[in-house]
Amino acid sequence: MRALWIRLCSALRLLVGWTVSAREDADAREEMRFHVDMQADKLCRAGVPAPEARRRAELSFGGVTTWAELARDEYRWRPLDELVADIRYATRSLLRVPSFTIAVVLSLAIGIGVTSTAYTVIDRVILRPLPYSESGRIVSLWTNYHDRPAQQGGSSFPDYLDWVSDNPDIEAATAFNVWNPLLGGDTPRPIGGVSVTADYFKVIGTHPILGRTFSAEEAASPAPRVVVVSYEFWQRELRGDPRALGTTISLTGIVYTVIGVLPPGLRDPQRWLEQPSDVWRPLALPPGARQRGAHFLRVLARLRPGVVVEQAQRHLTGIAARLSIEYPRSNGNRGVYALPLQDQIVGPSRTLLFAALGASLSVLLIACANVATLVHARQAVRAGELALRKAIGAESARLIRLLITESILLGVVGAVGGIAIALSATGMLRRFAPADLPRAEEIVPDARVLAVVLLVTLGTVLLFGLRPAIIGARTDPGLLLQDASVRHTRRGRARSIVVSLEIAMALVLLALTGLLTRTLIRVNRQPLGLDAEHVATFRIAAPVGPFEAAGSYNAFIGRLSAELRREPGVLAVSASSEGLLGAGNTALLTGSPSQPHDPGLDVRVNAVSAGYFGATGIRLIAGRDFTDSDSARGGRVAILNRSAVALFYPGENPVGKPLLHYLGDKDPSTIVAIADDARLDGPMAAARPEVFEPQSQANWGGAAFFVVRTARDPAAILPAVRRVVKALVPSAAVTDAHPLTDVAARFSARQRFYGVVFGAFAAIGLVLASIGIYGLVAYTVVQRRREIAIRTALGASAGRVLARFAREGIVTLSVGLGLGVFGTIVSSRVIKSLLFDVSPTDPLAIGAGAVVLCVIGLVATLVPALSATTTPIVDVLRSD
């Protein structure tokens, strides 16, 4: 036990400081030398000559070094001693070749860092379950259309009740809708809210940490005045006071009582891609919103234990079929489908994120291939050293351990660099991720990611270090006498195949980047049908109360518009009930009296003030714009865009003809104009049918969207907007204030984000592939420099030598490009959803990537070959 303790203490001292080890070695050698001297002196006294006595004494002891090592083994642990010695030697050896060490460490750090970042995103966004109790049992229920099965639609309240009432597959269900209240106070501001039915919190599986949720009586009340607040709202607005329960807050001018506080970090399923929810209230629907044709609600359901989605879908399909027969006018074209909530939230990003993971793995493989090539090249350079070590008695196992130690040391340093890259990259992702990437704020490396880094590091070390180490340890000492050019031919073909694979993967990444770049160009060139330059857009949110005394909401919009027109540089001002870009309200039933049509979610209804088309730049094709004479007392009028005309009056001129707005409408509007189509859902979406009605004839309330066209930077008008609104109605708030060009840019945010991601991968892959080509040719040149010098001395021209190496490089490059084209055709279909007006096999994108690789590959081939032809033969022979 004492001996073991001594060994452990000595091992710790050895790890702490190397000077202690040197002193112990010197003491052991001195002690052994003393015993040899004593034996030699004894032999001298017996008459043996001094040199012979010394020789006999050393022979009897077997050598001072041998006994010193045996003595050292008594107080030190030899395996640890040898490991520290191997680490010292590996460190010195790697520092002597800084170019090799830097290249390997950078390749590993980039490969490990990129892969770790991609895995972090996949783990946080896709692999981890949603933060709800048994989230796998939660499904979204959507309306779909028999002629448009891929289109999602909301539910009406009667349909929701029919879907979930007495349904044996459903444990609990809820209908809910977005609510954007205005928090009262000295500075009113909008907050996130949701209106929900009673079982909402049961469906998502959460319970309040303080207070309670809604009772059945409160949920059934026609005007409930209670709210449940988020933990963050409680901390921020109510100072985390437990006595806050029962207090009141003003939301859009209405006083609500706080009855509960939810757990921290709760994300609302409705708002994963929007601002977090702060307040929840019972869903109170007016009679008009309870019609079966009013499809605007979202529905969540929690399935019973053991029920799978397919089983629930079969039951729901039967219910939808029954409703289609019972209510053919509102449900004849409608079905229902269940979608797991996990797929609902992360589904659109799943394929693209796995494509990014595949791209990162390609970068890792390229990096590993590079490292393997560099290690093989270094192994070939060190073949003579290893053969000499083996010739003088080094064991193969010892050499393998020595070489593996070098590989592990490189892997550890590369892993540290990879973790640093992963931390930086994930921070940038959280900052610049597109708005439709769910759970982006959760993208933070943790212990699981660290474990992945360690596994990737171990795998790469074994991949590039083990085989070369075994080959190097088995080196035949006869290689000392063998010409390098002979050794080169043995494994040159394998290295060429590795470099060809690098080129193929680099081409795939370059081609994908080219496809996304061409998509961005096409998107930016696609006309929206409006003029977004020099236009600012914003939203006014205000409680209804102030307008009961100050006049109607329409009057407030008119006064605000008039005040803004007086601001310097303002050319036009108009208001609308819907935002200029993005989703809008839809008609319940719209069409001509003789041919009523139920377009579901396809028809956008927008109430606009006079001058709207001039302010937005939407062109009127025929007819007239709305005027101040189109008042509430006059006849109802409407303007249709091209798509609405094709839907309601195909092949006809509808100007002067009637249009029904809603089911049961007896007072049709007169169509007074046709407007050009505007791509309000973005340049990659088709224009939707849209019906415009005058502001003065619409029933507005609570919010309005404004468009201001200016002669200068549109952002400069926004402070004046806030000042004017504050002066007119202090309780109103200005929100979503942006230049219209910034709003339009959001439509291509996904393409831009993934274009940058794949572009970064492509740039890294291109650099690494270039290094691989250069390393392969440079290694060949080093191995064959004697042959090259002799050929040149015998009269071979530099051109012939260059052509020989260029031919080898071109063959390797051609094989890689062929594999890359095939890989691009297969992998480009993964990002098809991101492409717009560009084929996944676009020859220009693939060709551009191939040209870039050809140019860089030829340069990387010719540079080392050219240096070989200019080296004097005398220098080559002298170095050999």
Side-chain angles (χ1 to χ4, degrees), residues 797-810 862 865:
S797 65
R800 293 188 62 183
V801 174
L802 286 174
R804 186 183 185 91
F805 283 101
R807 186 165 55 250
E808 294 181 6
I810 289 173
L862 295 177

Side-chain angles (χ1 to χ4, degrees), residues 130-133 135 138-142 174 176-178 193-194 196 200-206 262 265-277 280 298-302 339-346 438-439:
L130 297 177
Y132 306 120
S133 175
S135 60
I138 305 176
V139 295
S140 290
L141 302 184
W142 292 97
T174 181
F176 57 99
N177 195 24
V178 170
V194 187
V196 302
Y200 176 85
F201 300 103
K202 182 178 179 181
V203 170
I204 66 174
T206 190
L262 296 179
L266 178 69
R267 292 297 303 271
D268 189 89
Q270 172 76 1
R271 293 182 173 272
W272 269 100
L273 304 179
E274 305 169 10
Q275 68 182 101
S277 297
W280 290 259
R298 283 194 55 182
V299 177
L300 284 181
R302 175 175 288 273
L339 185 66
L341 184 60
Q342 178 90 9
D343 293 345
Q344 176 68 41
I345 293 175
V346 305
R439 313 180 76 172

